Amino acid sequence: MNTENGTLIFVYGTLRQGAGPAHVHLLQYAEYIAHGFVPGRLYDLGDYPGLVPPDCNYDIVRGEVYQLFWPEALRALDCYEGCSESDPIPHEYRREVVQVHLETGDRCRAWAYWYQGPIDQPTRIDSGDYIRFLRLRHRLGH
């Protein structure tokens, strides 16, 4: 999944701006393009969220699109997400191309990490926005 100037990635969780120190990990490989959303549902898995396919047309997950410039960036991000070739199988996440609806009204295709584990107990993040979820949880003292 390459564009003229690099590879695009959609991030929706700990790699987003404001989600914590992991964002710094992404910044060494990437440049911010735009906010956007993808069809899907978001679940709180404890220290991070998981993106799963939507149940209906109204299910969306908000995030950010970045352009990756370093050739090894995807490999490094796969390691961060626990789905590299050296990580034990089954992987908790898989990387696939998604269509992202950008806040500008445009669309693009970008890599995203899909959660593959069980969703029996995790709490659904109804807003589909991990940053909003973190702010609300912090405000409520959880």
Side-chain angles (χ1 to χ4, degrees):
M1 166 69 246
N2 289 315
T3 65
E4 186 176 310
N5 298 317
T7 300
L8 298 179
I9 187 156
F10 174 79
V11 297
Y12 57 84
T14 59
L15 292 172
R16 286 186 64 188
Q17 294 178 41
H23 178 70
V24 175
H25 182 71
L26 174 64
L27 288 179
Q28 62 185 319
Y29 310 121
E31 181 180 318
Y32 171 79
I33 300 296
H35 279 78
F37 68 88
V38 300
R41 293 173 290 144
L42 197 60
Y43 286 88
D44 175 24
L45 304 174
D47 294 331
Y48 52 88
L51 168 67
V52 300
D55 277 339
C56 68
N57 292 337
Y58 299 106
D59 290 337
I60 64 167
V61 173
R62 300 188 182 284
E64 301 156 7
V65 175
Y66 289 85
Q67 192 162 27
L68 302 173
F69 294 105
W70 183 52
E72 299 298 315
L74 280 177
R75 191 171 297 157
L77 291 170
D78 284 352
C79 287
Y80 176 79
E81 298 290 351
C83 63
S84 72
E85 292 177 5
S86 62
D87 286 307
I89 295 178
H91 295 152
E92 189 173 29
Y93 289 89
R94 73 181 183 285
R95 179 169 43 90
E96 289 185 0
V97 174
V98 295
Q99 182 164 315
V100 184
H101 303 263
L102 301 175
E103 65 184 356
T104 61
D106 295 325
R107 295 179 187 182
C108 70
R109 292 172 54 80
W111 290 111
Y113 291 91
W114 292 88
Y115 177 66
Q116 301 187 116
I119 54 170
D120 300 336
Q121 298 300 320
T123 302
R124 178 150 181 204
I125 300 173
D126 292 323
S127 68
D129 187 332
Y130 190 60
I131 300 300
R132 184 175 170 191
F133 171 77
L134 289 176
R135 287 180 184 147
L136 181 59
R137 185 166 66 180
H138 178 73
R139 200 174 317 140
L140 296 175
H142 294 283

